[in-house]
Amino acid sequence: TIQKSTHTLSNTTMATNYGFEFLRAEHQEQSQQNEQADNNESSSSRHQAHQQVQKPAGEKHFDIINFLQAQYKHNSTLLFSCDDILRHTGVDLNIDEDVVQMLEANHRIRCVHPAGVSDDVMYGYQPKIQASNKKELLALINQGKYGIPAKDFSDAYNGVEQDLQDLITSGEILAVANTDKKDKTLFRRGDVFLVELSGNISYPATSPSASVDPSAVAAFQQQFGNVDVENLKQELNSTDPMVRANAATQLRMMQAQQQQLAATSGNGASEPYYIGTDKDYTKEIRRGEAVWIGGQWFRVSSAVREGLPLSEQPPRAQAPLSVASLEDMSKKNEQDGYCRIFSSTLLPIDRTMEKSTLENLQNGKQAKQTLAKLGGALPSSSGHMRKRARSNLNNTNSAKRAAAAANPDLVYNKARRHGCSKDIRDLYLASRMEVPESEVELHKLLLANKLIEKGTELRRPRIQKKADNTVNGKAKKKRYYIKKGHKITNTHLEGTEIGAVLAMASERQHQGKDVGDGGM
């Protein structure tokens, strides 16, 4: 110990007096730790390489692909040398020629030769379809004529699954389920037909009443007043599947009823998954359909299990791939109880709103209040202004009112959907069989219901477009075209000067150009 202390003191003195910093004890200890770490890493690499030696070439090839794919999702521009691959996967490409050939033949692997270096090769991953954001996804799908499988985008970048789901939710693309391959095929939508729902929306959503409906409380007490909740929770662990299913169903129904009472309790508390409405939207949109609010697309909530997105709900409660439905969802969902109620004053949505959506709703609310102070009113869903009392405002106020009515933020007070509303669609489906196929009978029916006036023609006359035979006010010259099957008979002039002139004139006529009248 004395010798070691003396040696350490001597090294410290020399380091201080002569500038030999590398002789300090702490530097020597750090150097030993670094060497130990290098030895451990080298030992680990050797152990990993030894394990890889035991694997066939196909498994080594698969390991390298997994490594490159994982790195691509973090940085799509990264390339790795043979030494990098050896260090991370234990595969030595300088020895495994079979693996190198597999990588070079794989269309998902990039093999790049650095400039000026012919022997070295850098490897990287390339997805089947290259895209880096939602806009590029939409552009690629719009270019596809026969649809693109959703799995082809699975390795494009991190978050691609959510972006595809957002495009399906908003209706910007069409998705068709492929049950055989358990996948979806994505198609371009084309032009969209959006309709504003009646009334105005508000957020945060508050209760329209000041107290709980006594009849709702009485109904809840009558249905669940004698239910032993603790006993139901114990039955969830029963070995009998029927007992477990019955207990789970009753607990879900109780939870749904409690949430409905809480939503109408009038305590003024806002719900992040509810939008307030001043019209009954249950007549205009169904659960699972797409709805536009504040610049963001949602689905009307159809969740029956709390805490799970719609894509992970039971199949009967999942939102359809289409943005509109012809019929309501399964009655079984109503028996189990939806997690969020859908009433005449509350519209449930499937997820929380983005920051920009909240800002848009707030700006729309302020724009509506400004317009109301100036005596204006929001346009109705038909696009016309609601009637209001006349006022003796001066021209200045009229100009302010016109400017406030032109505020683009007013659109955020309305909700939108794809296609016509539920009540109009149901009315059409219920009455389409009564519409006569004969145009004469349809004309008589329209007259009987005073939908057209007497004397209205059965068919509108076609608008005939007059041919424009002038160019800058001058008559167009007549073009001459060679008739189909026309044969040239003056073949004896071929090879002569006259024949060459006639051939040139014939070519100009075929192109629709003027060849003159020959001086006549």
Side-chain angles (χ1 to χ4, degrees), residues 286 289 320 322-329 417 420 422 425-426 428-429 432:
R286 290 183 170 92
E289 292 187 326
S322 60
V323 292
S325 305
L326 295 180
E327 56 186 22
D328 294 332
M329 305 190 79
R417 61 157 296 154
C420 59
K422 172 187 171 183
R425 186 190 301 272
D426 291 345
Y428 166 74
L429 294 176
R432 64 177 177 174

Side-chain angles (χ1 to χ4, degrees), residues 436-453:
E437 296 182 2
S438 170
E439 293 187 359
V440 176
E441 294 297 327
L442 177 60
H443 188 264
K444 292 179 181 179
L445 191 61
L446 291 174
L447 284 174
N449 289 275
K450 299 181 179 180
L451 296 176
I452 58 175
E453 297 179 357

Side-chain angles (χ1 to χ4, degrees), residues 139-307:
L140 289 170
I141 295 171
N142 287 338
Q143 293 172 5
K145 187 176 181 181
Y146 302 105
I148 302 175
K151 287 183 178 179
D152 290 355
F153 294 100
S154 60
D155 55 356
Y157 59 90
N158 280 338
V160 65
E161 293 85 0
Q162 185 59 48
D163 286 347
L164 287 176
Q165 186 60 43
D166 291 343
L167 292 174
I168 295 173
T169 298
S170 63
E172 295 179 76
I173 60 176
L174 298 174
V176 179
N178 188 339
T179 55
D180 295 337
K181 298 182 178 180
K182 296 181 180 180
D183 191 19
K184 297 185 289 287
T185 305
L186 309 177
F187 298 88
R188 58 187 178 185
R189 171 171 288 277
D191 296 333
V192 296
F193 173 54
L194 301 179
V195 173
E196 280 188 352
L197 301 181
S198 60
N200 300 316
I201 60 175
S202 60
Y203 183 84
T206 55
S207 170
S209 59
S211 60
V212 182
D213 185 4
S215 60
V217 177
F220 180 82
Q221 292 292 339
Q222 183 179 0
Q223 185 175 3
F224 302 105
N226 298 325
V227 174
D228 189 350
V229 179
E230 295 299 328
N231 186 34
L232 287 177
K233 291 181 179 179
Q234 292 178 2
E235 290 180 355
L236 291 175
N237 300 322
S238 174
T239 56
D240 188 348
M242 295 298 294
V243 174
R244 289 199 307 269
N246 183 46
T249 300
Q250 290 196 44
L251 287 174
R252 281 197 297 267
M253 292 178 64
M254 286 185 64
Q255 183 182 12
Q257 293 290 341
Q258 287 173 348
Q259 288 182 352
Q260 182 171 359
L261 290 175
T264 58
S265 61
N267 54 10
S270 62
E271 289 284 348
Y273 294 101
Y274 284 105
I275 301 296
T277 64
D278 60 1
K279 296 290 183 179
D280 187 1
Y281 281 4
T282 60
K283 300 177 181 179
E284 301 186 39
I285 194 168
R286 290 183 170 92
R287 286 186 182 270
E289 292 187 326
V291 59
W292 181 90
I293 295 170
Q296 183 181 355
W297 283 97
F298 302 89
R299 291 299 179 107
V300 182
S301 178
S302 58
V304 294
R305 295 181 182 175
E306 191 64 51

